């Protein structure tokens, strides 16, 4: 199941129109249309909200889609932002 299919399935399960769903998740209706059509990935915050709602409604398959997409989105962000990790220079000495 794709992220787009999961978002539409959650909206259908909740019985909400696109307008109501968008308002409840704090996104524009245009953004929701893009997410449902698969033209754009939902931001991390929205995916986490959807995962929480899916958990509450016991829709565990949808929750897993939202969470797996969240990890992929975070990895994509890190790659695109040229994220680098620098280990701290002054690590405390280990105790025997």
């Amino acid at each position: 199941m794709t992220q787009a299919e999961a978002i539409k399935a959650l909206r259908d399960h909740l019985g909400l129109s696109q307008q109501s769903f968008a308002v409840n998740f704090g996104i524009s209706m245009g953004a929701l249309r893009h997410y449902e059509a698969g033209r754009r990935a939902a931001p991390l915050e929205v995916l986490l909200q959807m995962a929480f709602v899916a958990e509450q409604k016991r829709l565990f398959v949808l929750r897993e889609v939202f969470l797996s997409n969240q990890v992929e989105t975070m990895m994509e962000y890190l790659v695109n932002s040229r994220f680098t990790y620098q280990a701290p220079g002054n690590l405390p000495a280990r105790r025997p």
Side-chain angles (χ1 to χ4, degrees):
M1 175 178 282
T2 66
Q3 182 186 104
E5 293 167 336
I7 292 171
K8 181 150 180 22
L10 179 61
R11 184 172 65 78
D12 289 344
H13 180 82
L14 297 173
L16 297 174
S17 66
Q18 283 185 326
Q19 176 77 32
S20 297
F21 190 86
V23 167
N24 280 302
F25 283 94
I27 57 177
S28 71
M29 218 167 79
L32 177 59
R33 287 185 182 130
H34 283 294
Y35 305 154
E36 286 188 351
R39 290 187 296 264
R40 196 182 307 161
L44 294 174
E45 301 82 24
V46 174
L47 292 174
L48 290 173
Q49 289 175 339
M50 290 180 185
F52 179 77
V53 170
E55 172 94 22
Q56 298 302 306
K57 297 294 182 179
R58 306 187 66 74
L59 303 170
F60 300 118
V61 171
L62 297 182
R63 181 198 65 190
E64 293 306 314
V65 171
F66 296 133
L67 291 179
S68 69
N69 281 301
Q70 184 248 355
V71 169
E72 290 172 17
T73 304
M74 178 59 87
M75 292 302 294
E76 185 177 309
Y77 168 78
L78 293 174
V79 168
N80 291 335
S81 67
R82 300 186 199 290
F83 173 80
T84 58
Y85 172 75
Q86 294 180 345
N90 298 324
L91 294 176
R94 287 188 178 183
R95 293 186 176 188

